[in-house]
Amino acid sequence: MVVRFTAFLVLLTVLIGLFAVGLPNGHSASFNYPWAQEYINTFDWNNPLPRHLPGLWRNQGGYDFFFYAPLPFWLIASSIDPICQSCSIETKIVAGNVIFWLLGSYFCYQFLARFVHTSGAVIGATVYSVLPYHLIIDWFIRQAIGEFCAYAFIPLAAYGFEEIRTNGRRKYLFSIGVAGLVLCHLPTAFLAAHFVLVAAVISAFDSSENGSPYRSFIITLFKWGSIGLLISAFYWLPAVALRKLVSIEQLYTLYFHAENWLFGGKFDQPNSNFMVQIVACIAVSLPLLLIGSFASKGSLRIWIIAPATIVIFLNSEASELLWRNWEIRKVQFPFRSLVFLDFAVALATGAIFALARPIVKFTSLLLVTGAVFLVWSAVHATNKNAWRGFDAGSTTIGAVEYLSPETLAALSTQVEPPFVAFSQRMKMDEVIASNQSQIHINSVGQYYIDATARKITVQPLIDNEKLQLPIQYWSLWSGYLEDGNYIKVVPNKLYGTIDLMPPEGGFQGRVIHLTLKLHWSEKVGMILSISTIFVLLLVYLRSWIHNRTITGTN
C-alpha cells in the first residue's frame, strides 16, 4: 500500500507540474501548437482523418498530415476538444499527451507484473514515466509529441512479444503495440523493428537450445507484426508513397546526418549543449542497469541488457558505418533510441525493488532521485528556457519538409536556407504573410473563393486572365469547371501558390472546383486497414461463439 501511495503521489505531482507549465517552449513547440490548433479546426466526423490543414502557413494550407503520424493529434481533436471546448490549445495538447503518458505507465506495469511482484512492477512503471529522457528531454526540451506518445506502446509491444514467445492467449497485443508505435511516430517504430529483430534472434537461439520450436515463434511473431502494419497502413502507405512529392530532402540536410551526433573521441556534435543533457541521461542510467541485470534473471534480464547494449552501440562512433549505409539513417538522430534505454532502466528498477536486498533498494532509490536531479541540473544549466510555456503568438507554421517543392523553391528566393533554425522558419512565415497580402491585392475583384480541407470552389469574375489563389501549390490538386472540363492548375513561380489558367474561350463565369482527390495509396491503405480489422473481429467473434458453445455443452 505504501509503495502504491508513493507512486500515486509522484505521478500526481508530475501531472500538476505538466499542466502548470502548459505547452513547454521546446524545439518542436512551434510546429505542435499550430498542428494541434489546425487539426482541431479541420477535424469533424465528415472528415475524421484530416491530412491537409487549410489554416497552416497563413491559410495557404499545409500537407503535413499526409506524412506526420496522426494519433496524438487525432486524440486531441476527437476526444479532448469536445470535452473541453473552452480550454486553451495548450491545455488540450497537455491533456492529450498525459493520456499517453499514463497509458505508458500502465502498460509498463502490466509487462513488469509478468516477472516481479506488485511493488516492483509499480515502482518500475512509475520510474518509466519520470525518467529524464522521457519526461525532461522529450517533453520539455524537444517537445517531441510523437516520440513522447510512442512511449506508451513500447511496453505493450514487448508484452505481446512475450505472449508470442510463451504461446500465451494475448498475442494480438503485439499487433496493437506495433500499430500504436507507427501511428504515433514512424522513426521510433522503425527503430523498434531493429530492437525486436535482436530480441527475436536471442529468443530463437534460446528456444533452439531448449528444444522449443523456434520456427513457429518467428513465423507467429512475423504474422502478428504484419497485422499491426496492416492496421496502420491507412497512414504509413500514403506517407511512404507520397514523400517524393514534398520537400522531404529537408529532413536529411547536414544537420540531420546521424553520424554527426555520435559520441567518440571528440565532443563536436552540432548542438553540444543539448548533447550534454543526453550524456547525463545515459550516464545516470548505467548504475541502475548494472544493478538490475544482476537482480533479474531469465527473459527479464534479456529485456534489460539487450536494449541497453544496442542503445550504447547506436550512439557511439562504433556504429557509424551502420548509420551511413543502412536505412536507419532516416531516423536522423541516434539519441532517439534512448526511449528503449528508458524502458530497460524501468525494468531494471522494477527488478531491483522486487528481488534485491533492502540496502540495494535504498541505493537504487537514491540513484533514481539523483538521476532526475542531475539531468534537471544539466538542462537548467544549458537551457534556462526549458521550463517556460510556449508563447504561441500568431504562428501558423508547419514543417518545411512537407512544403511542396514548388512552394519551397519560391520561398528560397526570399528566405536564405538552411531552414533548421527557428528564426529562419519565422522569417519564412513572415514572407508568406506578405505574399498572401500581395495575392489578395492582386486578386481583388477577380473571384470569390470557398475553401475546405480537400475542396476549393472558385467563382471567377473575370474571363481570360489567370487566377492567383492564396493556396499552397501541390501537384495532386486537380481542377475542373462545373461542366466537367478540366483546367490547368500550375504553380506561381514567385509565391509557390496555385494559378488557374483560363481555358480556351475563357472562364465564362463557370464555377471552378479544385480537389485533392484520394491518392491510390490512401485508398489501398484504408482498404488494408479496414479489412484487417474486420477479419480480426470476425475471427474473434467466431472464437467467442465457439467457446460459448463448448461451455454450454459442458
Side-chain angles (χ1 to χ4, degrees):
M1 181 62 73
V2 173
V3 170
R4 292 185 180 185
F5 183 68
T6 303
F8 172 76
L9 285 180
V10 170
L11 293 177
L12 180 62
T13 302
V14 175
L15 190 64
I16 292 171
L18 290 174
F19 278 102
V21 173
L23 181 66
N25 189 31
H27 298 167
S28 297
S30 59
F31 302 133
N32 293 331
Y33 183 93
W35 275 348
Q37 184 176 47
E38 296 308 322
Y39 204 97
I40 290 170
N41 291 342
T42 309
F43 175 90
D44 61 45
W45 292 108
N46 292 318
N47 183 26
L49 189 66
R51 297 184 192 267
H52 173 233
L53 304 184
L56 288 182
W57 296 112
R58 305 287 178 174
N59 296 315
Q60 277 195 10
Y63 310 107
D64 299 43
F65 281 88
F66 278 88
F67 307 95
Y68 199 79
L71 187 55
F73 296 90
W74 187 88
L75 179 70
I76 293 168
S78 66
S79 304
I80 305 299
D81 180 62
I83 294 171
C84 192
Q85 291 186 342
S86 61
C87 295
S88 66
I89 296 296
E90 293 91 336
T91 300
K92 292 174 184 177
I93 294 173
V94 174
N97 281 263
V98 159
I99 290 174
F100 286 100
W101 181 67
L102 292 174
L103 277 176
S105 186
Y106 173 74
F107 291 148
C108 189
Y109 166 80
Q110 290 294 338
F111 180 79
L112 265 169
R114 295 178 64 96
F115 304 99
V116 302
H117 59 65
T118 301
S119 62
V122 168
I123 291 293
T126 305
V127 167
Y128 186 62
S129 296
V130 300
L131 279 170
Y133 184 81
H134 185 183
L135 189 61
I136 299 176
I137 302 298
D138 250 4
W139 180 250
F140 285 99
I141 305 302
R142 298 187 60 227
Q143 236 303 278
I145 282 181
E147 191 172 292
F148 183 81
C149 293
Y151 263 86
F153 295 98
I154 293 171
L156 185 63
Y159 192 104
F161 183 99
E162 283 297 306
E163 285 289 285
I164 294 170
R165 188 184 67 81
T166 58
N167 199 27
R169 297 178 60 186
R170 291 183 281 186
K171 301 180 182 71
Y172 60 87
L173 291 177
F174 186 66
S175 299
I176 298 174
V178 169
L181 280 168
V182 171
L183 293 174
C184 281
H185 197 236
L186 204 50
T188 300
F190 187 51
L191 275 173
H194 294 77
F195 284 83
V196 168
L197 178 62
V198 172
V201 169
I202 294 173
S203 297
F205 179 78
D206 186 56
S207 297
S208 63
E209 288 285 307
N210 297 326
S212 302
Y214 69 90
R215 289 182 182 176
S216 174
F217 159 70
I218 294 295
I219 292 171
T220 306
L221 185 71
F222 178 79
K223 178 185 75 174
W224 286 106
S226 299
I227 289 172
L229 290 176
L230 288 172
I231 291 172
S232 57
F234 70 90
Y235 155 64
W236 66 259
L237 186 57
V240 172
L242 297 172
R243 69 190 187 281
K244 292 185 179 179
L245 299 183
V246 290
S247 304
I248 205 71
E249 72 282 351
Q250 293 297 314
L251 286 174
Y252 309 115
T253 56
L254 186 62
Y255 181 84
F256 298 107
H257 286 190
E259 60 269 21
N260 294 333
W261 296 87
L262 299 173
F263 293 109
K266 296 180 180 179
F267 197 79
D268 56 354
Q269 293 82 9
N271 187 340
S272 56
N273 281 343
F274 174 71
M275 295 309 288
V276 168
Q277 301 159 20
I278 297 298
V279 169
C281 287
I282 295 175
V284 299
S285 300
L286 295 179
L288 287 165
L289 290 167
L290 184 62
I291 298 172
S293 64
F294 283 105
S296 59
K297 57 185 178 179
S299 295
L300 183 58
R301 179 177 290 175
I302 293 173
W303 280 108
I304 294 170
I305 296 175
T309 304
I310 296 169
V311 169
I312 292 171
F313 169 72
L314 288 178
N315 282 274
S316 71
E317 288 186 351
S319 64
E320 183 172 350
L321 191 64
L322 179 68
W323 287 107
R324 285 184 180 275
N325 296 285
W326 174 236
E327 288 297 297
I328 196 174
R329 66 184 182 276
K330 292 183 178 178
V331 170
Q332 301 169 310
F333 305 119
F335 58 75
R336 278 181 163 155
S337 62
L338 264 68
V339 297
F340 304 98
L341 185 70
D342 275 5
F343 182 54
V345 172
L347 300 185
T349 309
I352 292 167
F353 276 83
L355 305 172
R357 297 177 180 177
I359 185 64
V360 177
K361 295 180 182 181
F362 179 73
T363 303
S364 301
L365 183 62
L366 289 179
L367 285 172
V368 172
T369 306
V372 175
F373 178 76
L374 178 61
V375 177
W376 183 89
S377 300
V379 169
H380 188 70
T382 55
N383 185 358
K384 291 184 171 58
N385 292 324
W387 319 113
R388 297 179 183 176
F390 177 66
D391 182 11
S394 59
T395 179
T396 59
I397 66 173
V400 175
E401 58 267 24
Y402 304 138
L403 290 170
S404 69
E406 295 81 3
T407 301
L408 185 60
L411 292 171
S412 296
T413 64
Q414 303 169 74
V415 182
E416 184 178 354
F419 307 113
V420 174
F422 174 72
S423 59
Q424 290 298 93
R425 298 197 299 271
M426 293 310 295
K427 284 182 183 178
M428 186 178 286
D429 188 49
E430 293 171 6
V431 167
I432 288 177
S434 175
N435 290 349
Q436 289 290 81
S437 297
Q438 190 59 51
I439 292 171
H440 285 299
I441 292 171
N442 295 345
S443 59
V444 168
Q446 292 189 347
Y447 56 81
Y448 295 119
I449 184 171
D450 179 34
T452 57
R454 300 185 72 137
K455 293 182 180 180
I456 301 172
T457 302
V458 181
Q459 174 64 65
L461 303 177
I462 58 176
D463 204 18
N464 290 309
E465 296 181 35
K466 71 177 181 181
L467 303 179
Q468 283 185 3
L469 302 187
I471 307 295
Q472 183 191 160
Y473 176 82
W474 201 22
S475 57
L476 292 185
W477 283 108
S478 59
Y480 57 94
L481 297 167
E482 60 183 0
D483 58 11
N485 291 320
Y486 281 87
I487 62 170
K488 288 184 67 176
V489 180
V490 299
N492 184 294
K493 293 184 178 180
L494 182 59
Y495 303 127
T497 50
I498 289 176
D499 280 354
L500 299 179
M501 305 306 291
E504 186 176 348
F507 292 112
Q508 299 178 12
R510 292 172 290 180
V511 175
I512 304 165
H513 299 280
L514 292 179
T515 60
L516 270 177
K517 294 182 178 180
L518 289 175
H519 189 259
W520 68 262
S521 59
E522 294 181 83
K523 296 176 184 177
V524 172
M526 193 62 71
I527 291 170
L528 289 174
S529 296
I530 293 174
S531 59
T532 300
I533 294 171
F534 181 71
V535 169
L536 287 175
L537 289 174
L538 283 180
V539 171
Y540 173 79
L541 182 62
R542 181 182 177 184
S543 175
W544 181 79
I545 293 172
H546 178 70
N547 291 335
R548 292 275 294 182
T549 303
I550 292 176
T551 304
T553 303
N554 294 337

